[in-house]
Amino acid sequence: MGVDPSEYPDREITNVTLDSREVNEGSLFIAVKGDRFDAHDFVPDVLAKGAAAAVCQRQIDGAERDRVICVPDTRLALLALAKYYRSKFDIPVVGLTGSVGKTTTKEMVAAVLSQKYKTLATQGNFNNEIGLPKMCFKLDSSYEAAVFEMGMSGFGEISRLTDTARPTVGIITNIGVSHIEMLGSREGILKAKMEILEGMSSSAPLIINGDNDLLPKGVKGIPNPVVVCGISCQKADCRAENIKQSQDSMSFVINFRGSRYPVVLPAVGMHNVYNACIAFACGMLLDVSPEQAVKGLSEYVPTGMRQKIVRRGGITVIEDCYNASPDSIKASLRVLRDLDCARRIAVLGDMKELGSYSRTAHLECGAAAAENGMDVLLAYGPEAKAYIEGAEGAIPTALHFDSKQALVLKLCAMLQEGDAVLFKASRAMKLEEVIESVYEVIAG
């Protein structure tokens, strides 16, 4: 970080924080400049509250010089400090990335590992260059394993995250088109995701989805052991067989290197079977027993608005509006297709961060809605008009809306007992506001 330790007296640090509201006696405050605020403005206040020191990119007027540690870049200093702190823990650390399914897979991996170890797992959306260091600082001597999710929007981000977390096991869930605007192509996305190896030793295993069209080719020639998971991939180390879907769960048999274990997963959709296979394989690599892994998967609970199935007033609702990409929308449409219901209604909002690929992606998802037998397609947002075009008249009722109010009115007017409704859009569209309004009407 370019800091001379002799310039600063020894002080005991009780915690590291970027939030001035969390500062207490002995805190180390790292001043990061954001889009809407500059944390350097809070430095005098945090020092007055008893912070041991503040890491800054400039000197602070009126502050004691030996309590202000100046560095060229506080974000890089945060990563470097988290890396140092992480190095103090000799425990299994799983680093996980992928285009879609990261959070769900992370939760399944944590559910499996928690059967044997006290496990720290990434909370919320703490998967970037600010969030991941925060998670590292949550480690203490009581933890026996950790699962860190790694997100990115451009080249170099996964490299910095993996260098900080130093995974002992790596996972790449799949290569899709999320963030293609920044990375140019799916091959570019693959290259960015493969950066996860840069923070791993050559002996650390990498778990991949063998049914993804790019990953098996992408890992050829790497020194790390590769563990392949899949459904159609006959040579997979961990393969799901005899898959059956009910209204609330998936049942299947995991074939792990010739041994078979029946699983009942309380989540629906083939994509979740892939996620479960990856989690099971991770457990096997980290000495979790097969029976413990199966139990962990059976206790998995969907989080937030990620494909959560709710039943209200005789209507089945799939809340899946935490985020959206072409791959995840198509997966959710397949889930809706396989539900036992009177009518299938897809409420789809804009997908963001697709750049020049956006129109094509929305057209493809509209076509997928038709192919999966939707009875009603309600599209919301400027880009969502292409869903209607992509359906090409194959859906009996396909309507576009510019306002949430109009969408709510139309949807509530048509809902009938026995219907199943999917809500899916990028987070920025805040489609949960529509869900809340619909629930109010249903509760009536």
Side-chain angles (χ1 to χ4, degrees), residues 82-138:
K83 176 181 178 179
Y84 167 75
Y85 186 72
R86 151 68 183 102
S87 71
K88 291 181 171 293
F89 298 89
D90 185 16
I91 59 174
V93 172
V94 180
L96 184 152
T97 191
S99 292
V100 292
K102 292 187 296 296
T103 299
T104 300
T105 307
K106 176 258 300 181
E107 293 294 333
M108 289 188 189
V109 170
V112 168
L113 296 187
S114 293
Q115 296 296 315
K116 179 169 183 174
Y117 309 105
K118 181 180 178 183
T119 303
L120 174 68
T122 297
Q123 300 166 357
N125 60 350
F126 282 13
N127 65 358
N128 57 21
E129 292 178 274
I130 298 296
L132 184 138
K134 288 182 177 180
M135 293 309 307
C136 287
F137 292 131
K138 289 183 181 295

Side-chain angles (χ1 to χ4, degrees), residues 306-317:
R306 293 178 173 88
Q307 216 164 84
K308 181 180 177 182
I309 296 180
V310 177
R311 290 184 172 81
R312 296 283 182 94
I315 296 166
T316 301
V317 177

Side-chain angles (χ1 to χ4, degrees), residues 165-425:
R166 292 286 165 173
T168 60
V169 176
I171 294 172
I172 304 179
T173 60
N174 47 54
I175 303 298
V177 296
S178 299
H179 305 300
I180 199 168
E181 179 179 11
M182 298 294 294
L183 297 166
S185 65
R186 290 184 68 229
E187 287 71 21
I189 294 168
L190 171 65
K191 181 180 178 182
K193 298 299 185 184
M194 291 295 291
E195 290 175 5
I196 195 171
L197 295 174
E198 295 175 20
M200 297 166 54
S201 75
S202 59
S203 61
L206 178 67
I207 303 172
I208 66 164
N209 178 345
D211 289 347
N212 185 266
D213 60 331
L214 292 184
L215 274 172
K217 292 177 282 188
V219 299
K220 283 185 177 179
I222 69 171
N224 303 68
V226 176
V227 178
V228 179
C229 299
I231 296 173
S232 61
C233 179
Q234 296 296 319
K235 295 183 179 180
D237 299 280
C238 186
R239 184 168 180 263
E241 303 171 341
N242 304 328
I243 303 168
K244 298 176 183 178
Q245 177 170 318
S246 71
Q247 288 291 89
D248 303 294
S249 65
M250 303 294 293
S251 62
F252 50 96
V253 173
I254 284 184
N255 181 337
F256 186 78
R257 295 174 175 168
S259 297
R260 291 172 168 79
Y261 309 95
V263 175
V264 177
L265 182 73
V268 294
M270 295 294 283
H271 57 292
N272 279 320
V273 176
Y274 282 109
N275 299 338
C277 280
I278 289 171
F280 187 93
C282 187
M284 296 303 96
L285 292 178
L286 295 178
D287 297 324
V288 176
S289 73
E291 293 75 21
Q292 288 174 317
V294 168
K295 185 172 184 289
L297 291 174
S298 73
E299 295 175 355
Y300 161 74
V301 178
T303 59
M305 293 176 289
R306 293 178 173 88
Q307 216 164 84
K308 181 180 177 182
I309 296 180
V310 177
R311 290 184 172 81
R312 296 283 182 94
I315 296 166
T316 301
V317 177
I318 305 174
E319 299 178 2
D320 197 7
C321 47
Y322 184 82
N323 220 328
S325 69
D327 296 312
S328 65
I329 281 189
K330 291 171 186 175
S332 293
L333 288 168
R334 289 192 290 270
V335 169
L336 183 54
R337 176 198 66 193
D338 293 338
L339 287 181
D340 183 14
C341 58
R343 288 189 306 172
R344 292 168 178 81
I345 302 173
V347 181
L348 305 181
D350 287 359
M351 296 180 284
K352 301 297 186 181
E353 299 181 349
L354 294 173
S356 60
Y357 181 60
S358 181
R359 177 170 167 77
T360 299
H362 285 81
L363 288 169
E364 287 178 358
C365 288
E371 291 165 4
N372 284 285
M374 297 302 109
D375 299 291
V376 178
L377 171 60
L378 305 182
Y380 165 66
E383 297 292 325
K385 290 180 180 178
Y387 291 135
I388 308 297
E389 294 179 54
E392 294 184 334
I395 297 175
T397 302
L399 304 170
H400 177 262
F401 299 86
D402 292 314
S403 79
K404 290 176 184 172
Q405 183 180 14
L407 170 58
V408 169
L409 289 172
K410 182 62 178 178
L411 177 58
C412 290
M414 68 167 55
L415 279 175
Q416 302 171 6
E417 186 172 340
D419 287 344
V421 188
L422 164 69
F423 291 91
K424 184 75 175 172

Side-chain angles (χ1 to χ4, degrees), residues 126-163:
F126 282 13
N127 65 358
N128 57 21
E129 292 178 274
I130 298 296
L132 184 138
K134 288 182 177 180
M135 293 309 307
C136 287
F137 292 131
K138 289 183 181 295
L139 284 169
D140 61 39
S141 58
S142 70
Y143 285 107
E144 300 167 307
V147 186
F148 292 140
E149 181 181 333
M150 300 179 187
M152 61 92 196
S153 58
F155 293 112
E157 291 180 60
I158 296 292
S159 177
R160 291 187 289 274
L161 294 176
T162 187
D163 183 60

